Amino acid sequence: MSQPELDNLVRIGQLKAEPRNAQEVTRMLAMARTRLSDAKLSNLSLEGRFTSAYNAAHAAALAALRWHGYRSENRYTVFQCLTHTLGWPANRWRVLDAAHQKRNLAEYEGYLDIEESTVAEMCALVQSLIADVQDLIAK
Amino acid sequence: MLIFGMSISSALFTDSQARLYVWLFGQPERAYHLNELRRLTGLGSASLQRELNRLATTDLVIAQAVGNLRRFQANPQSPVFAELVALTRKTLGTVPVLREALQPLQPGLISAWVYGSVAKQTDTARSDIDVMLVGNDLLLSQVLASLEPAEAQLGRKINPSCYSPQEFERRRAEPDSFVNRVLSQPILPLIGDAHEPT
């Protein structure tokens, strides 16, 4: 399903157009579910749960983008496109983008102060993200 | 539309002045085209022209003709330039705008402050605004939604980090935590008591 906003991003080189592959989308969504269950394992470290929740978010957001017939290697773009792929408001996808920035900061500066409340909010958000992608592909 | 609410700024400036000054005197190094100011302030042509004419005829603002366009910039030679810039920053700048935006998050929000380049005054017009918040049941998505109007008004992205009071105290007890690194550098208090570095 082609969208003018997403086509514009292709034109300026932010996105690539690539035909939908239903099996790929299903695989990504399954991966998102697995990562989300990892993120809820209370015996794991908060850092590990955060990374799992983040990976789940990315897999589900990319699944939505792939379903519409696009792809991006840029993680910020994948989250930003949730506005168009699922109609998500900015304040929701920006939580996922903030997680991306937090992860980058951890890699560059060695700081990964992850709080329980952050992981809890991420898990709730990813849960509804997965549900929204499921609704999208069931249409 | 009442953007600034009951505040020092609304006692000092009309709504039109407030919308214009935050750009002209809030970023005095920047020159603006008329269309740009119309878009940034949301003012109608007539009221924008009226305000600009008053500022230009008194030399508070320089109106420079570039081709058939006019560019407007705060005049650093004006005898009250420094005072206007300081007054604008104190009443319409980052801190008052953020304070106002964070009000609805109280009483859950206990304290909040700006850190990073804005607090250190090493920021450029493109720098993000880093804000740390401590409170009960704060959701980043809600904080981001509350800050959206402030981002539009200040023309900058705001990066909030949220902590519960327990999480914050735990990080305070770790000498090398991100929280303590932030608190050992300049901050601008927004809500609640300022914290001293441990």
Side-chain angles (χ1 to χ4, degrees), chain B:
Chain B
M1 184 171 62
L2 187 67
I3 303 184
F4 300 103
M6 279 308 294
S7 56
I8 299 175
S9 64
S10 54
L12 286 173
F13 307 115
T14 64
D15 182 51
S16 308
Q17 286 172 328
R19 290 177 190 221
L20 183 59
Y21 290 12
V22 74
W23 296 103
L24 284 174
F25 300 112
Q27 292 180 38
E29 68 289 339
R30 196 169 151 188
Y32 303 86
H33 288 297
L34 189 61
N35 279 339
E36 200 178 4
L37 281 176
R38 198 179 300 144
R39 177 172 54 78
L40 292 170
T41 60
L43 290 175
S45 278
S47 46
L48 179 59
Q49 293 274 12
R50 189 171 51 240
E51 294 296 341
L52 284 172
N53 284 340
R54 293 203 321 195
L55 295 170
T57 49
T58 50
D59 283 334
L60 291 169
V61 158
I62 313 164
Q64 199 185 11
V66 182
N68 56 358
L69 291 171
R70 284 203 301 164
R71 276 154 64 88
F72 299 90
Q73 185 174 4
N75 180 8
Q77 306 304 323
S78 150
V80 292
F81 172 79
E83 287 82 357
L84 266 178
V85 169
L87 198 58
T88 301
R89 288 203 169 137
K90 281 186 185 165
T91 60
L92 300 167
T94 312
V95 167
V97 168
L98 290 178
R99 271 197 187 133
E100 184 121 347
L102 293 174
Q103 287 301 330
L105 294 171
Q106 289 178 295
L109 176 62
I110 298 164
S111 57
W113 57 89
V114 177
Y115 67 96
S117 64
V118 174
K120 291 178 205 158
Q121 296 191 314
T122 57
D123 59 313
T124 67
R126 302 249 168 270
S127 302
D128 289 355
I129 301 171
D130 297 316
V131 180
M132 194 169 268
L133 305 96
V134 181
N136 292 300
D137 305 317
L138 292 178
L139 281 176
L140 182 56
S141 53
Q142 274 171 6
V143 173
L144 284 167
S146 303
L147 289 171
E148 264 170 27
E151 288 187 308
Q153 205 172 325
L154 297 168
R156 305 214 195 164
K157 192 177 166 199
I158 303 172
N159 289 320
S161 336
C162 304
Y163 295 82
S164 74
Q166 299 76 19
E167 289 165 350
F168 183 70
E169 285 315 316
R170 197 177 314 131
R171 295 302 178 188
R172 291 269 283 156
E174 297 168 10
D176 192 36
S177 64
F178 182 65
V179 163
N180 278 324
R181 190 180 62 153
V182 163
L183 291 178
S184 69
Q185 293 174 19
I187 60 166
L188 302 171
L190 298 172
I191 307 273
D193 297 330
H195 292 272
E196 295 297 318
T198 45

Side-chain angles (χ1 to χ4, degrees), chain A residues 6-7 10 15-20 66 68-72:
Chain A
L6 297 173
D7 286 336
V10 173
L15 276 186
K16 287 178 218 166
E18 186 181 315
R20 181 192 304 170
R66 291 292 301 115
H68 284 281
Y70 303 89
R71 177 190 293 285
S72 174

Side-chain angles (χ1 to χ4, degrees), chain A residues 59-124:
Chain A
L62 185 58
L65 194 58
R66 291 292 301 115
W67 190 88
H68 284 281
Y70 303 89
R71 177 190 293 285
S72 174
E73 258 88 67
N74 182 314
R75 289 173 170 248
Y76 173 76
T77 307
V78 170
F79 293 132
Q80 188 188 28
C81 282
L82 287 172
T83 302
H84 309 301
T85 57
L86 293 174
W88 268 39
N91 69 310
R92 300 190 83 200
W93 64 256
R94 281 188 55 189
V95 174
L96 307 176
D97 176 52
H100 172 214
Q101 290 176 12
K102 205 162 202 162
R103 209 192 56 141
N104 280 354
L105 189 71
E107 281 171 17
Y108 290 115
E109 298 187 28
Y111 279 106
L112 193 58
D113 290 2
I114 300 301
E115 311 305 333
E116 183 80 46
S117 58
T118 309
V119 174
E121 182 176 2
M122 279 285 283
C123 284

